[in-house]
Amino acid sequence: MATFHLPNLRIAPAPANVPVWNDAPWTPLPPLADSVKADVCVVGLGGSGLSAVGELLGLGVSVVGIDAGSVAGGAAGRNGGFLLAGTYHFYHDAVSRLGRERAWELYRLTMDEVDRIAAESPEAVRRTGSLRVADDDEERLDCARQLAAMRAHGLPAEAYSGPEGDGLLIPTDCAFQPLRRCRTLARRAADAGARLYEHTPALRIAGNEVRTPGGRIRCGAVLVAVDGGLEQVLPELCGRVRTARLQMLATAPTGEVCVPRPVYARWGFEYWQQLEDGRIALGGFRDGGGAGEWTVESTPGGPVQQRLEAFLRGRIGVQAPITHRWAAPVGYTPDGMPVLEEVRPRVWAAGGYSGTGNVMGALCGRAMAQWAVRGRSELADVIHGHGAESSETAASVP
Ligand SMILES: Cc1cc2nc3c(=O)[nH]c(=O)nc-3n(C[C@H](O)[C@H](O)[C@H](O)COP(=O)(O)OP(=O)(O)OC[C@H]3O[C@@H](n4cnc5c(N)ncnc54)[C@H](O)[C@@H]3O)c2cc1C
């Protein structure tokens, strides 16, 4: 594989912090301007919160959803656009940490969720597969270990060697347009009766009431679906979730390379894909920014953008102009497994996906919804590896 160097690059200008995914108009939703009642209030309208909203509607309960900013204005609409099965850990590492049965069950569950997401929003999903490529011999060996473990457990994976490098190809993974998907889900939920509000931050959260600047939401349960900054919304999660900034850039359409499927390299730190119009969207180098990247701040810049640009020019071999640079916060947990629990009576939280929340977040959002309404959730049981029960059995308006 080609090595790349970090020259003294001047960072080329690009529109301020706009993700490449923001390619279509969006009619803003109003802020909440009055007090309302609902069976369940969902705080956070990213992919996880919107999956929760959809599940709640399917369960026949009334929903109010609020977001401090706009629909998918956080990581959910500003990410790499990879829909990967599995957890934060590569499959063989997941087996070592979680045991064979739980790792396999989680992998199958996330594969099914990728299929569900593709069926639910086909206009936003491409069935491309994904590539993990190695940067050195040690990682090549690790790819071989991952491949062997997946094959031994009957999971789809193939050895790969090609222009992107050597590694393994997962044929069932997908690429998607994350912002388009979230907006589709929001429109659909609103059409189905969910009351959704933008620019409505939750100021105080209790199981029967959420306070916002414009009014109170009286409810029977609250689902907090916030990834980056979760520990600020629910301070009891400090120490269990730590927020980091992830950064990306994108180029003008280019025919310099042909990247048919999303690629991740260097243990998953760098990731890129080519969009249908030929643009390259590239992220990574969180570790290249030092301690300053552990922040809820979401402005792109600094050494991370420099390294991304050097990688684009050197390693990927693309000289096309950079048209977008953006960043967003995500939550990390010490063991790489998400938070999914009832943190206060009738207040559930999901987040801390450690940079891999597109699929796991959708699952956790749906699991919270089931848990809050039915009193338990089989999805949550699989994610936790044990039974999960609520403090009460069903959501009800007080
Ligand atoms: C650059 C980047 C690349 C990534 N690439 C990938 C990838 O390719 N594949 C993958 O699986 N994952 C990836 N991730 C991670 C993934 O994007 C996230 O884990 C996932 O989108 C989280 O979605 P969410 O809905 O749980 O949370 P968020 O997107 O964090 O949404 C939470 C929402 O809650 C709102 N909110 C916050 N506080 C409040 C409050 N007090 N009141 C009301 N609303 C509030 C926010 O405004 C936000 O809209 C990436 C992340 C980034 C930043």
Side-chain angles (χ1 to χ4, degrees):
M1 179 179 297
T3 54
F4 74 97
H5 304 282
L6 186 62
N8 286 328
L9 286 172
R10 276 202 2 213
I11 294 191
N17 209 1
V18 177
V20 72
W21 314 116
N22 197 0
D23 61 359
W26 166 251
T27 309
L29 304 172
L32 182 66
D34 209 346
S35 290
V36 291
K37 278 187 178 182
D39 291 327
V40 182
C41 174
V42 175
V43 176
L45 298 176
S48 312
L50 289 164
S51 297
V53 169
E55 190 75 14
L56 290 165
L57 292 171
L59 291 167
V61 300
S62 63
V63 189
V64 164
I66 59 171
D67 198 289
S70 52
V71 163
R78 308 172 74 82
N79 62 66
F82 288 42
L83 283 178
L84 308 181
T87 62
Y88 165 77
H89 298 288
F90 293 124
Y91 184 70
H92 55 310
D93 295 329
V95 172
S96 308
R97 285 163 179 269
L98 308 173
R100 176 184 172 136
E101 194 180 337
R102 190 165 162 224
W104 186 86
E105 267 194 308
L106 273 171
Y107 200 91
R108 291 296 318 184
L109 194 67
T110 51
M111 275 179 73
D112 290 348
E113 193 68 12
V114 170
D115 285 345
R116 209 188 57 78
I117 290 171
E120 189 179 56
S121 46
E123 74 293 343
V125 179
R126 292 184 293 141
R127 290 195 167 274
T128 51
S130 75
L131 273 187
R132 176 188 173 197
V133 293
D135 252 20
D136 55 23
D137 286 344
E138 187 196 349
E139 196 175 3
R140 226 165 260 123
L141 197 61
D142 197 68
C143 288
R145 287 201 192 102
Q146 181 182 347
L147 181 63
M150 292 183 72
R151 283 204 170 144
H153 297 182
L155 297 172
E158 300 158 21
Y160 180 85
S161 196
E164 302 89 345
D166 305 327
L168 71 160
L169 190 158
I170 314 288
T172 42
D173 286 342
C174 296
F176 84 141
Q177 216 284 25
L179 186 57
R180 188 181 301 158
R181 167 176 153 76
C182 287
R183 287 175 170 175
T184 298
L185 293 188
R187 281 192 205 100
R188 198 174 287 159
D191 288 347
R195 287 163 286 163
L196 305 182
Y197 301 95
E198 292 184 325
H199 304 290
T200 303
L203 303 177
R204 281 189 62 184
I205 297 174
N208 60 356
E209 184 182 271
V210 175
R211 285 196 201 170
T212 78
R216 297 170 185 215
I217 301 149
R218 299 272 293 157
C219 53
V222 181
L223 310 185
V224 179
V226 174
D227 186 13
L230 179 60
E231 74 277 28
Q232 294 193 337
V233 181
L234 297 169
E236 55 267 64
L237 294 174
C238 275
R240 293 184 48 205
V241 179
R242 192 178 180 201
T243 295
R245 165 174 57 189
L246 300 185
Q247 303 202 32
M248 295 194 67
L249 56 73
T251 70
T254 178
E256 297 167 277
V257 292
C258 175
V259 185
R261 56 186 73 79
V263 187
Y264 47 102
R266 195 172 67 89
W267 308 93
F269 271 106
E270 279 72 70
Y271 41 93
W272 64 100
Q273 64 160 300
Q274 190 161 28
L275 313 189
E276 281 172 301
D277 65 1
R279 294 175 185 277
I280 298 288
L282 163 69
F285 293 105
R286 172 177 63 81
D287 55 337
E293 297 306 303
W294 290 105
T295 174
V296 291
E297 167 64 42
S298 62
T299 313
V304 173
Q305 285 291 328
Q306 279 197 338
R307 282 179 162 79
L308 285 171
E309 192 160 343
F311 190 87
L312 173 77
R313 306 302 187 209
R315 165 74 169 78
I316 305 180
V318 165
Q319 310 308 321
I322 292 168
T323 53
H324 299 73
R325 298 181 189 273
W326 70 95
V330 296
Y332 281 78
T333 61
D335 66 357
M337 293 302 287
V339 169
L340 171 59
E341 65 191 48
E342 189 178 4
V343 286
R344 298 173 188 170
R346 310 295 300 158
V347 177
W348 280 262
Y353 306 112
S354 301
T356 58
N358 285 334
V359 180
M360 192 55 89
L363 269 172
C364 288
R366 296 202 300 118
M368 280 197 296
Q370 295 173 359
W371 197 348
V373 174
R374 291 186 183 147
R376 64 175 301 139
S377 159
E378 284 174 17
L379 284 180
D381 291 349
V382 178
I383 293 165
H384 285 141
H386 57 77
E389 283 189 12
S390 153
S391 61
E392 291 172 33
T393 49
S396 56
V397 186

